[in-house]
Amino acid sequence: MSKVLVVYHSGYGHTKVVAEHVAQGAQAQLVAISADGEITEAEWAALDDADAIIFGTPTYMGNVSWQFKKFADATSKIWFTRGWQDKVFGGFTNSASPNGDKQVTLITLQTLASQHGGIWVSLGIPPSNTS
């Protein structure tokens, strides 16, 4: 069985709810990024050991939360050693607005996965066409 982790930041609790549902569906372990943008050494080790990592963050001001960005920047030590090379990645976001630049946040998550040499898994859903 694959080891899947959902690493997320939630400012007001909404992203936590989504993360819990994602984790349930993927049979994954949850890793919550703290209000200070930190995770524990044991959680870093679990991410290193995972087969797949799913990122989750709210969209604030058109991108990831600063806490998620701090976590992402801290992964540069792992990037240097190619520690997450060939892992499978996915991601999700939400915001209070029905639109609100969530695409930029998802592109940021995909770029982070690509920086690590990971394999990004999309939903495989074509864009809707209502014309």
Side-chain angles (χ1 to χ4, degrees):
M1 179 140 191
S2 297
K3 294 179 189 172
V4 181
L5 272 76
V6 176
V7 59
Y8 72 95
H9 170 253
S10 184
Y12 297 98
H14 304 97
T15 308
K16 179 182 180 184
V17 170
V18 177
E20 291 169 345
H21 285 283
V22 170
Q24 182 181 17
Q27 298 177 338
Q29 174 185 337
L30 287 168
V31 174
I33 299 168
S34 75
D36 294 326
E38 304 284 339
I39 64 172
T40 67
E41 288 301 320
E43 290 168 332
W44 280 114
L47 287 166
D48 290 344
D49 193 42
D51 299 310
I53 299 171
I54 303 170
F55 298 134
T57 178
T59 294
Y60 292 159
M61 300 306 292
N63 213 319
V64 300
S65 66
W66 73 261
Q67 292 90 341
F68 189 91
K69 178 69 166 92
K70 182 177 177 182
F71 159 80
D73 288 348
T75 70
S76 64
K77 295 172 189 171
I78 299 161
W79 168 85
F80 189 73
T81 63
R82 304 312 289 161
W84 290 354
Q85 180 81 31
D86 298 325
K87 287 187 188 287
V88 175
F89 288 89
F92 62 90
T93 188
N94 63 60
S95 69
S97 302
N99 297 315
D101 294 329
K102 288 187 250 347
Q103 179 182 11
V104 174
T105 302
L106 292 172
I107 290 169
T108 299
L109 300 180
Q110 182 181 20
T111 301
L112 178 58
S114 295
Q115 287 288 312
H116 282 284
I119 302 159
W120 182 260
V121 178
S122 71
L123 293 175
I125 300 172
S128 64
N129 184 347
T130 58
S131 60

